[in-house]
Amino acid sequence: MRVRPTSMAGLVVIEPAVYADERGFFCETYRREWHGEAGIPESEQFLQDNHSRSGRGVVRGMHFHVGAGVSKLVRCARGRILDVAVDLRRGSPTYGRWEGVELDEESMRVLYLPVGFAHGFCVLSDVADVLYKQSAYYDPAVERGIAWNDPEVGIAWPLPADELIVSARDLEAPALREVADELPFEFTS
């Protein structure tokens, strides 16, 4: 396993070893003891696994949870996506900025998003299966979102706008500045 740095404190890309031959491959996609080495808090516990399948051009996001928040460990088991994180932590030097990481079935990269980040992705392949662990159970009462196309955040989605498929709910999400006062996340170094 290798850890790849990102431009945002707490956001971690893990590149697991993939052992491939003519039969296929083997890869450990999660190992609890990686936490310390990867910069994930030792206290982090993942309580729920999720799996989504989407077609090319689908954008899901940008989602986050208020209250205690939720951290995620995301990978793409089939296909290829641009996975995007937006820093929502007040006082962070990267507040309101985004970072994108390509996740795919070949590299088996894993992205760790700590509490305080909005999350979303865009499917680049014909189909993609995205799997992620999260540190809290899904609760619609605390789920929130910001606009996937907020011009102040400025996410550069990798496909032309007319090829993007966005849910009605995500199309109605507010701009970050509209929810900034309600965000419970504080940056700690």
Side-chain angles (χ1 to χ4, degrees):
M1 186 247 340
R2 291 183 320 187
V3 177
R4 196 176 97 199
T6 68
S7 66
M8 297 182 189
L11 195 64
V12 178
V13 176
I14 300 167
E15 295 179 338
V18 179
Y19 303 97
D21 61 24
E22 65 281 350
R23 301 169 297 154
F25 71 87
F26 172 82
C27 176
E28 286 183 343
T29 60
Y30 176 74
R31 190 175 180 112
R32 175 105 172 104
E33 64 188 28
W34 289 350
H35 285 208
E37 187 178 341
I40 299 170
E42 291 290 337
S43 60
E44 187 74 81
Q45 292 191 35
F46 296 105
L47 303 178
Q48 180 176 320
D49 279 8
N50 300 311
H51 181 161
S52 74
R53 177 170 291 157
S54 306
R56 179 177 171 78
V58 168
V59 171
R60 294 187 184 265
M62 299 298 298
H63 306 145
F64 61 96
H65 289 78
V66 294
V70 65
S71 58
K72 295 180 179 178
L73 199 59
V74 184
R75 70 185 185 93
C76 182
R78 175 183 179 192
R80 186 167 58 103
I81 64 171
L82 178 68
D83 205 66
V84 176
V86 175
D87 191 347
L88 304 179
R89 302 168 297 172
R90 280 194 298 269
S92 169
T94 56
Y95 175 82
R97 291 200 343 222
W98 68 277
E99 180 150 349
V101 176
E102 197 168 290
L103 304 179
D104 61 59
E105 65 186 74
E106 292 176 20
S107 71
M108 300 297 276
R109 263 184 223 108
V110 179
L111 179 64
Y112 170 71
L113 296 95
V115 169
F117 283 83
H119 173 251
F121 62 86
C122 178
V123 178
L124 304 174
S125 53
D126 288 339
V127 67
D129 283 351
V130 178
L131 291 83
Y132 56 99
K133 296 180 173 304
Q134 54 183 58
S135 63
Y137 297 113
Y138 173 74
D139 180 355
V142 295
E143 185 179 36
R144 302 288 188 276
I146 58 170
W148 63 278
N149 59 351
D150 183 335
E152 291 178 25
V153 175
I155 298 170
W157 295 106
L159 297 175
D162 64 345
E163 291 182 32
L164 300 179
I165 303 163
V166 182
S167 73
R169 186 186 88 178
D170 289 344
L171 286 171
E172 296 172 3
L176 174 56
R177 67 178 151 64
E178 295 176 58
V179 298
D181 292 340
E182 302 167 26
L183 297 174
F185 315 117
E186 294 290 337
F187 177 74
T188 56
S189 53

